[in-house]
Amino acid sequence: MPVTRRFFTGTLGQRFAARQALVAPDLRAVVRAVTLGMWASLVPLFAAQEALDAGQVRELWPARPRIPAARWWLAQRAADEARPDLHALRGALQTGPLPGAPSVPTGIRPD
């Protein structure tokens, strides 16, 4: 819900006031509920992509042009600071994509 609330206030300039019919830890469960007739939902593309591709749901309102790119943060425990695998991950994230890597993440379609 925090992402949805931020979307409404930041993008639409109003508070989220809809009645919640379903809250699930995996947004794909929400998309599945929509395919079974639970009206509509606002979900990120990664959660809806498979159902969109299969024609089970359709985009009613293109929100993508209005949403800024999501920021992802690498968080770890202080006790794991010396772990070689996390050190390698931090280094990879700081240097950017590997040569030859696709510019658009798998499963995401640019507009």
Side-chain angles (χ1 to χ4, degrees):
M1 283 306 297
V3 172
T4 303
R5 290 182 200 284
R6 279 195 304 271
F7 172 76
F8 268 77
T9 56
T11 305
L12 302 177
Q14 58 188 15
R15 292 178 52 95
F16 179 76
R19 183 179 57 87
Q20 297 175 24
L22 174 67
V23 176
D26 186 332
L27 291 173
R28 290 171 293 209
V30 174
V31 173
R32 180 68 178 138
V34 170
T35 69
L36 295 173
M38 281 193 76
W39 201 64
S41 185
L42 176 66
V43 296
L45 182 60
F46 78 83
Q49 188 68 64
E50 188 175 326
L52 282 165
D53 292 344
Q56 297 170 328
V57 297
R58 66 186 175 99
E59 186 176 44
L60 298 176
W61 181 65
R64 278 176 273 155
R66 296 167 181 83
I67 301 173
R71 292 184 183 169
W72 290 80
W73 301 91
L74 175 61
Q76 69 182 51
R77 299 180 310 162
D80 291 330
E81 181 67 31
R83 282 182 47 185
D85 55 343
L86 290 177
H87 181 73
L89 177 58
R90 278 193 308 274
L93 291 171
Q94 289 171 342
T95 60
L98 298 172
S103 59
V104 177
T106 304
I108 304 294
R109 295 180 304 197
D111 288 328

